[in-house]
Amino acid sequence: MGNLLKVLTCTDLEQEPNFFLDFENAQPTDAEREVWEQVDLVLKDARGVLDELQAYKGAGQEIREAIQNPSDEALQEAAWAAVVHLVGKLKKFYQFSQRLEAALHSLLGPLTSETYDDPTQHLEREQALAKQFAEILHFTLRFDELKAEGENEVNNEMANRISLFYADATPMLKTLSDSTTKFVSENKNLPIENTTDCLSTMASVCKVMLETPEYRSRFTSEETVSFCLRVMVGVIILYDYVHPVGAFSKSSKIDMKGCIKVLRDQPPNSVEGLLNALRYTTKHLNDESTNKTIKSMLQQQ
């Protein structure tokens, strides 16, 4: 495994992995199709969720006007209608996060199974599932970038769960991190390395494709570059939560310096959110064991 990861993180093209993870066009094989179709239903709805969140304007204006004009019935009713509409959206987003968690578990099953000897074989031979895993990570980070802040009021257990969900700065990412940790704990017969190696290999493959002109030139859209960057950061964060000592330790199988350099090589305004995700949403960055150079690279503005 160590030799494999050296290959994945090297910069000499001749020694790099001999497959291209096709994030744009990967199609399911017969063996992948059942899981792929289940997850595809969730991902189709994910696009609508992002569109709704992007169009979201909150209810702040209506609430302020109602507070300033307590005797104006029309403004009170407008504020109430806006809040009810807002709560419906927040509930919908929360319920979608539960579906996303189930989809993640459906993908981690085959991608971490003992079917193949190492994670590279999984990613190479199950590209459609790997692409869907990447799409979930992309959606998660994009959702949290767009996330609106607001209070909500609904009843009973659902209210408590929704409140906890939105109280976190990156609610969808926390859902995914918790879900991956839960997957590991519920599958005790599966070595934790199967999951962490899958994540670290995905990070390495993304890094290699981004830093290698011969691979990057195969992307047909600049949006795929952004997609790949988001996926790389997403799997780093998941790895940091699932691995006992995290992504920043010397024993980590992720080339953190290389990944941060790839981010730094992009136009600054395009990756600040991703750098902030590494700065503020990882678990082990501030551990004493974290390499000072890595901390310094992340602290640079």
Side-chain angles (χ1 to χ4, degrees), residues 263-273 275 301:
L263 288 168
R264 290 288 185 191
D265 287 343
Q266 311 307 312
N269 293 338
S270 68
V271 295
E272 192 59 28
L275 288 168
Q301 296 297 327

Side-chain angles (χ1 to χ4, degrees), residues 81-147:
V83 169
V84 169
H85 181 67
L86 167 62
V87 171
K89 281 190 178 296
L90 295 179
K91 180 180 178 181
K92 178 180 178 179
F93 295 159
Y94 167 73
Q95 289 175 327
F96 182 77
S97 78
Q98 305 307 292
R99 293 179 60 203
L100 201 70
E101 178 178 351
L104 178 68
H105 279 217
S106 296
L107 290 171
L108 285 175
L111 288 175
T112 62
S113 72
E114 303 284 0
T115 306
Y116 301 116
D117 293 334
D118 61 59
T120 299
Q121 290 180 308
H122 275 292
L123 296 181
E124 182 178 7
R125 300 180 188 182
E126 297 172 323
Q127 291 216 8
L129 298 187
K131 177 175 180 284
Q132 286 185 319
F133 179 44
E135 287 173 338
I136 287 177
L137 290 164
H138 176 268
F139 164 84
T140 298
L141 289 174
R142 186 66 184 132
F143 180 95
D144 288 340
E145 287 172 3
L146 294 171
K147 173 210 163 193

Side-chain angles (χ1 to χ4, degrees), residues 87-267:
V87 171
K89 281 190 178 296
L90 295 179
K91 180 180 178 181
K92 178 180 178 179
F93 295 159
Y94 167 73
Q95 289 175 327
F96 182 77
S97 78
Q98 305 307 292
R99 293 179 60 203
L100 201 70
E101 178 178 351
L104 178 68
H105 279 217
S106 296
L107 290 171
L108 285 175
L111 288 175
T112 62
S113 72
E114 303 284 0
T115 306
Y116 301 116
D117 293 334
D118 61 59
T120 299
Q121 290 180 308
H122 275 292
L123 296 181
E124 182 178 7
R125 300 180 188 182
E126 297 172 323
Q127 291 216 8
L129 298 187
K131 177 175 180 284
Q132 286 185 319
F133 179 44
E135 287 173 338
I136 287 177
L137 290 164
H138 176 268
F139 164 84
T140 298
L141 289 174
R142 186 66 184 132
F143 180 95
D144 288 340
E145 287 172 3
L146 294 171
K147 173 210 163 193
E149 296 184 6
E151 296 297 326
N152 58 79
E153 187 176 345
V154 288
N155 293 323
N156 302 326
E157 184 181 357
M158 178 66 76
N160 294 330
R161 291 188 178 188
I162 292 176
S163 296
L164 288 171
F165 176 68
Y166 284 102
D168 196 275
T170 51
M172 209 60 84
L173 184 59
K174 187 176 188 306
T175 295
L176 233 58
S177 299
D178 290 348
S179 178
T180 307
T181 303
K182 182 180 177 183
F183 174 83
V184 171
S185 64
E186 287 180 350
N187 293 271
K188 298 187 186 302
N189 60 325
L190 197 68
I192 189 173
E193 290 78 16
N194 286 32
T195 302
T196 55
D197 286 354
C198 174
L199 298 174
S200 61
T201 302
M202 178 78 90
S204 297
V205 170
C206 287
K207 179 184 79 72
V208 166
M209 290 198 298
L210 286 163
E211 68 186 2
T212 307
E214 288 85 346
Y215 285 159
R216 188 159 170 162
S217 66
R218 294 178 64 178
F219 297 153
T220 61
S221 167
E222 274 301 306
E223 289 183 6
T224 307
V225 174
S226 298
F227 178 92
C228 207
L229 288 165
R230 237 182 226 109
V231 172
M232 182 181 74
V233 170
V235 288
I236 288 171
I237 294 169
L238 290 189
Y239 183 98
D240 195 50
Y241 272 85
V242 175
H243 195 280
V245 296
F248 302 98
S249 71
K250 289 182 180 179
S251 60
S252 169
K253 291 182 177 178
I254 296 178
D255 174 15
M256 285 305 306
K257 292 178 185 177
C259 290
I260 295 170
K261 184 180 183 303
V262 166
L263 288 168
R264 290 288 185 191
D265 287 343
Q266 311 307 312

Side-chain angles (χ1 to χ4, degrees), residues 47-57 89 92-93:
R47 299 179 190 109
V49 168
L50 286 182
D51 288 343
E52 282 193 52
L53 187 57
Q54 195 148 20
Y56 164 84
K57 66 180 183 67
K89 281 190 178 296
K92 178 180 178 179
F93 295 159

